[in-house]
Amino acid sequence: AQSVTQLDSHVSVSEGTPVLLRCNYSSSYSPSLFWYVQHPNKGLQLLLKYTSAATLVKGINGFEAEFKKSETSFHLTKPSAHMSDAAEYFCVVSDRGTGRRALTFGSGTRLQVQP
Amino acid sequence: DGGITQSPKYLFRKEGQNVTLSCEQNLNHDAMYWYRQDPGQGLRLIYYSQIVNDFQKGDIAEGYSVSREKKESFPLTVTSAQKNPTAFYLCASSIGGRLGYSNQPQHFGDGTRLSIL
């Protein structure tokens, strides 16, 4: 069975400082992993995805994530936070051969950016 | 511009009433999904459809129904049997994949917020 755990429900950073949003996953097969961002009262927007190519994945808006199989982690980082990065972020896993379920969503991390 | 359109943005339901949420996509995607989002929780899958005229229950299908008569459209009906319907509902689509597996990202609409009167 697949699962995903976002280790922090809230993260607060100052503008211009680095961002780290942590995600651990559990998967029976070779997973595909995604990070999505959600602004208030909006749908989810894809930031980046990992599908067994390069382990360091670059996404939009300066975000990147590193797939570490030995640690079963897929943490999201950004070197310098911007006020517009304040939003909710979801780590998502898609597992081969899991039957009905195509994607499993983490519970989300709310990122606050202080001026 | 391709995308997913959900309507209405806000919807109110009276006790004992069925309401239908609309979802239309012009991305030519085969697969479509409905999710429910509650505060502080991730998305939970209600129903999904891999092709026209076929759909499958997700994790929380009780009290909901769907149809998939056209590739572009995947409406969700919240029936009176759903006792706690207040939530944010999100529709998504993706390039089709084998049932239960997809390494393709999903594209989301902007959601419908449903409340009880």
Side-chain angles (χ1 to χ4, degrees):
Chain A
Q2 62 189 23
S3 67
V4 58
T5 302
Q6 293 185 241
L7 299 169
D8 307 291
S9 58
H10 290 87
V11 170
S12 182
V13 301
S14 298
E15 190 174 21
T17 64
V19 175
L20 169 64
L21 305 183
R22 299 182 295 164
C23 173
N24 286 351
Y25 71 91
S26 170
S27 170
S28 304
Y29 301 91
S30 298
S32 294
L33 292 156
F34 309 86
W35 275 99
Y36 284 86
V37 60
Q38 184 181 33
H39 292 276
N41 293 312
K42 291 289 189 181
L44 278 67
Q45 179 186 15
L46 180 69
L47 279 177
L48 49 82
K49 68 174 184 177
Y50 165 78
T51 55
S52 75
T55 57
L56 183 62
V57 182
K58 293 190 184 299
I60 62 171
N61 300 336
F63 285 94
E64 64 181 37
E66 186 172 8
F67 174 71
K68 292 187 176 180
K69 187 174 181 178
S70 60
E71 298 175 11
T72 61
S73 70
F74 190 58
H75 301 336
L76 181 71
T77 61
K78 183 174 181 178
S80 176
H82 191 272
M83 294 298 290
S84 61
D85 294 328
E88 185 115 24
Y89 291 79
F90 292 94
C91 182
V92 182
V93 62
S94 171
D95 202 348
R96 228 184 283 259
T98 54
R100 309 183 307 166
R101 182 178 296 186
L103 295 181
T104 299
F105 287 78
S107 56
T109 298
R110 183 165 298 280
L111 176 66
Q112 287 184 308
V113 182
Q114 309 290 342
Chain B
D1 242 356
I4 298 179
T5 301
Q6 290 188 242
S7 62
K9 192 169 179 66
Y10 298 95
L11 186 59
F12 298 91
R13 195 191 88 170
K14 294 179 182 178
E15 293 288 340
Q17 186 182 43
N18 293 352
V19 292
T20 297
L21 285 61
S22 170
C23 177
E24 303 277 334
Q25 55 101 356
N26 60 3
L27 299 166
N28 200 33
H29 285 167
D30 289 310
M32 296 187 74
Y33 311 82
W34 273 106
Y35 294 93
R36 171 181 170 136
Q37 185 177 25
D38 294 284
Q41 298 188 33
L43 277 64
R44 292 184 289 169
L45 183 64
I46 304 172
Y47 269 98
Y48 64 99
S49 168
Q50 295 289 343
I51 57 172
V52 175
N53 293 322
D54 184 62
F55 48 83
Q56 304 293 328
K57 291 182 179 180
D59 299 316
I60 55 166
E62 186 174 351
Y64 301 97
S65 65
V66 294
S67 62
R68 186 85 187 277
E69 297 175 1
K70 299 187 299 182
K71 187 175 185 178
E72 302 79 19
S73 179
F74 191 42
L76 173 74
T77 296
V78 184
T79 74
S80 57
Q82 173 49 246
K83 297 307 180 188
N84 184 24
T86 298
F88 191 50
Y89 291 86
L90 288 162
C91 178
S93 71
S94 69
I95 295 170
R98 184 169 59 85
L99 189 67
Y101 164 72
S102 173
N103 66 354
Q104 299 297 325
Q106 293 183 6
H107 299 255
F108 286 82
D110 279 344
T112 293
R113 189 166 297 281
L114 176 62
S115 302
I116 296 297
L117 278 178

